[in-house]
Amino acid sequence: AVAQTVISATDPRIQYSRTWETPAICQYLDDGSLDPGQPGCYNFGSNPCADNFTMARQPGASATLKFRGTAISIENINQPVGGPTLVTFNLDGTDETSNLAPVAGPLTCPDAIFKQDGLDAGNEHTISITLRAPPISDQPDDSVVIFALKQFTITGGDASGPGSSSSSPSHTSSPGSGSQTGGSTPSSTPNMSNSESSLSSSTSSVSSPSS
């Protein structure tokens, strides 16, 4: 079988533009109960489908990865809040746009939302993800545009560019306003208020934001 390489959303080889956040994931105790003292964490339940993720809420925010390989796929995190979000995937200059809708319930990891195979392993490829706001008439008045990235998966190759674990963003459980822009690694604090985020609760379910 051809080897696959997973590039997590916090890998420093991903170049982010505008504001991206690295929210903290709620941790659970051995008895299955939620570990207290984690304000602002994001609740996947006691068996999370992701170790980390990055999130953007600003139209025009983008994430770009250069790589070599024969195939590429992208996985995201389903959010239970927000309005429709248009996301454009650009692979080597060719655009493909998807309309993502919020999914009720806890945070989940769906199947890949973008896949492309048949690539030339001898060439360097560029894949980018860009958020785009749908027409305002398609959104509820209180909608929030959200895209959460879990990982890229490369078949038969690896990502290009410098990689240093020391430059990866760290996790935090406290919400804040920190952000980094202009091709940098994402902020380590969730830049989202409690009324908009999928925050911790005593169960694995997450409620929609209040109006």
Side-chain angles (χ1 to χ4, degrees), residues 18 56-61 83-88 97-100 130-139 143-147:
R18 300 199 178 181
R57 298 183 295 144
Q58 181 183 17
T85 300
L86 289 178
V87 180
T88 296
T97 299
S98 296
N99 190 350
L100 305 180
T130 304
L131 275 69
R132 306 193 184 282
I136 193 65
S137 59
D138 292 344
Q139 299 190 59
S143 66
V144 179
V145 177
I146 294 175
F147 178 77

Side-chain angles (χ1 to χ4, degrees), residues 75-155:
E75 295 178 38
N76 70 319
I77 306 291
N78 276 336
Q79 288 277 350
V81 297
T85 300
L86 289 178
V87 180
T88 296
F89 306 98
N90 182 289
L91 177 60
D92 296 335
T94 299
D95 284 346
E96 178 180 316
T97 299
S98 296
N99 190 350
L100 305 180
V103 177
L107 296 166
T108 58
C109 303
D111 294 335
I113 55 172
F114 177 88
K115 294 180 180 180
Q116 181 62 57
D117 56 14
L119 303 177
D120 186 342
N123 292 335
E124 183 178 67
H125 305 280
T126 302
I127 180 76
S128 66
I129 307 166
T130 304
L131 275 69
R132 306 193 184 282
I136 193 65
S137 59
D138 292 344
Q139 299 190 59
D141 292 340
D142 59 350
S143 66
V144 179
V145 177
I146 294 175
F147 178 77
L149 173 65
K150 177 186 177 185
Q151 65 189 39
F152 297 86
T153 301
I154 301 165
T155 301

Side-chain angles (χ1 to χ4, degrees), residues 48-74:
C49 58
D51 294 327
N52 55 64
F53 67 101
T54 55
M55 184 171 64
R57 298 183 295 144
Q58 181 183 17
S62 67
T64 301
L65 180 71
K66 294 183 181 295
F67 69 97
R68 294 179 185 274
T70 59
I72 183 79
S73 64
I74 298 172

